[in-house]
Amino acid sequence: MKRLFFITLLCLITTNAAAANYSLIEIDTFGGSYSFANDINDSGQVVGYAYDSSNNKHAFLYENGSLINLGTLGGSRSEANGINNSGQIVGSAYDSSGKSHAFFYENGTMTDLGTLGGDYSIAHAINEARQIVGQAYTATNQYHAFLYSDNIMTDLGTFSGSFGRSEDINELGQIVGYAKNSSNNNRAFLYENGTMSPLGTFGGDESHAYGINESGQIAGSAENSAGNTHAFLYENGTMYDLGVAGNNISSVAEDINESGQIVGWGVDSSWNESPFLYDNGSMINLNDYLPTGSELTLNVALGINNYGDIVGYGHNSDGAYRGFILYNQDAVRSSSSVPEPTSFLLIGSGLICIARRLTKNDR
């Protein structure tokens, strides 16, 4: 496996004391060109997928500086999408017949969760009660949102359409995602007490919900009347438009933590991607925290934990996508959740740094 690059820095603190300080880790591959980080728990364990030299993607767990290949269900590919604070992991993997099924991974064992009667399924998130959500093919080859609990996969249905997808679940068992309605438009939903309720839009046709915290705050995206997609925060029955960062024209919120911090990404008129952190009413482009000359440009932020650590993916100077971890250096935490000091670079808009490099999708 290739070594992670690391940076030594001489930093002078500026007067911008309010800015957060992060450490950046670029996640390696299994011999291929690409890696993607999808989720992070409060222990700093990260899951996602990385490519091998045969261009097959494999689910990984990244912890304590090591990239661990989780394997497959007998096939050639897999990806990990969610992890809870107990270190239990969910995702999807190919079996020996070439069909991709949702999996549950714990203590070195990957378990096939099955489907809703069709050939394929994907798991997206898991809570501490080991309730798992995702999407699965039915016997009529339609993707429907599912809840997997007590070894049973339950079809959550759609809004009279042909597609449904559940993205996240909190400890109360509230589920968010999106589903097609009778007009064939995706609508964000909240599923609780056996009922799937639409969250609306900003005047456009479509909306998607991706994250929910323990307070029931929901993060996602919705179209406005002009056809642009904006990130939203939904709480107490109201959908709030979070706007866009910089010169972007659209934005998507992917995850939300218990403090109400939201991460996601946006695009400008040339479809250049950039990740954001939304905190205390401000949407910040995370690339603004990178020092001049950084070899990694951040594209998309997909997960945030309760310490404010962020994961996603960016691209390096060769144009190859790589997963990243931004550790919040201002957070008070146990030593087990802090990255090794030789594998990160310190970044922050409150820092002026001189750096010296020592070593060096199918989405």
Side-chain angles (χ1 to χ4, degrees):
M1 184 182 298
K2 299 177 184 176
R3 297 180 62 188
L4 292 172
F5 76 82
F6 61 94
I7 306 285
T8 57
L9 298 159
L10 174 63
C11 299
L12 302 175
I13 303 297
T14 70
T15 58
N16 189 4
N21 298 308
Y22 295 99
S23 62
L24 172 67
I25 289 180
E26 178 181 329
I27 296 177
D28 210 345
T29 72
F30 294 122
S33 298
Y34 306 109
S35 63
F36 300 87
N38 289 330
D39 198 16
I40 182 170
N41 66 12
D42 289 342
S43 297
Q45 295 175 303
V46 176
V47 295
Y49 60 93
Y51 283 79
D52 63 19
S53 57
S54 299
N55 203 34
N56 290 316
K57 63 179 181 180
H58 285 257
F60 71 70
L61 168 64
Y62 180 91
E63 62 177 347
N64 301 322
S66 296
L67 191 66
I68 302 166
N69 191 333
L70 303 187
T72 71
L73 291 169
S76 60
R77 295 185 148 208
S78 60
E79 63 179 75
N81 296 318
I83 184 169
N84 63 15
N85 284 332
S86 299
Q88 297 167 325
I89 301 168
V90 296
S92 65
Y94 281 82
D95 63 18
S96 57
S97 67
K99 297 173 183 177
S100 180
H101 283 192
F103 72 73
F104 169 79
Y105 183 96
E106 183 179 33
N107 298 325
T109 300
M110 182 179 288
T111 302
D112 189 335
L113 301 185
T115 72
L116 290 171
D119 291 337
Y120 300 97
S121 58
I122 305 168
H124 295 295
I126 180 171
N127 65 12
E128 295 305 310
R130 211 167 126 168
Q131 294 175 305
I132 300 165
V133 296
Q135 65 189 92
Y137 257 15
T138 66
T140 57
N141 289 328
Q142 294 182 347
Y143 263 131
H144 282 197
F146 74 73
L147 167 65
Y148 186 94
S149 182
D150 296 325
N151 298 318
I152 298 173
M153 182 179 288
T154 301
D155 188 341
L156 303 187
T158 70
F159 293 126
S160 301
S162 60
F163 177 89
R165 174 176 173 132
S166 49
E167 289 278 355
D168 200 12
I169 183 169
N170 65 12
E171 300 310 317
L172 297 176
Q174 295 174 306
I175 300 168
V176 295
Y178 53 96
K180 296 281 188 184
N181 59 20
S182 58
S183 299
N184 203 37
N185 294 317
N186 286 312
R187 289 296 173 93
F189 69 74
L190 169 65
Y191 184 96
E192 59 180 343
N193 301 320
T195 301
M196 181 181 288
S197 302
L199 304 185
T201 70
F202 291 129
D205 291 331
E206 302 233 341
S207 59
H208 305 78
Y210 294 109
I212 185 170
N213 64 15
E214 303 315 311
S215 300
Q217 294 175 307
I218 301 169
S221 65
E223 281 188 356
N224 59 27
S225 57
N228 292 322
T229 298
H230 281 196
F232 71 70
L233 167 65
Y234 184 96
E235 61 179 344
N236 300 322
T238 301
M239 182 179 285
Y240 297 95
D241 190 336
L242 304 186
V244 296
N247 62 348
N248 285 341
I249 60 172
S250 294
S251 59
V252 175
E254 294 278 358
D255 199 15
I256 183 169
N257 66 11
E258 300 314 306
S259 300
Q261 294 177 307
I262 296 171
V263 294
W265 54 281
V267 295
D268 61 21
S269 58
S270 299
W271 293 99
N272 297 307
E273 299 170 327
S274 58
F276 70 76
L277 167 66
Y278 184 91
D279 190 22
N280 294 320
S282 297
M283 184 178 286
I284 304 163
N285 185 335
L286 290 172
N287 283 300
D288 292 345
Y289 288 110
L290 296 179
T292 301
S294 170
E295 290 194 354
L296 194 67
T297 299
L298 309 184
N299 292 99
V300 172
L302 292 171
I304 184 170
N305 67 12
N306 290 321
Y307 289 110
D309 306 322
I310 301 167
V311 296
Y313 64 89
H315 65 275
N316 60 23
S317 57
D318 295 327
Y321 286 116
R322 292 297 175 90
F324 71 80
I325 313 166
L326 291 178
Y327 280 94
N328 182 3
Q329 292 297 309
D330 297 329
V332 178
R333 68 179 81 223
S334 65
S335 59
S336 63
S337 60
V338 178
E340 296 176 342
T342 58
S343 63
F344 63 80
L345 71 94
L346 293 175
I347 59 177
S349 59
L351 299 173
I352 297 176
C353 302
I354 302 171
R356 180 169 62 92
R357 182 164 64 89
L358 299 182
T359 63
K360 191 173 185 189
N361 132 10
D362 61 1
R363 197 176 192 89

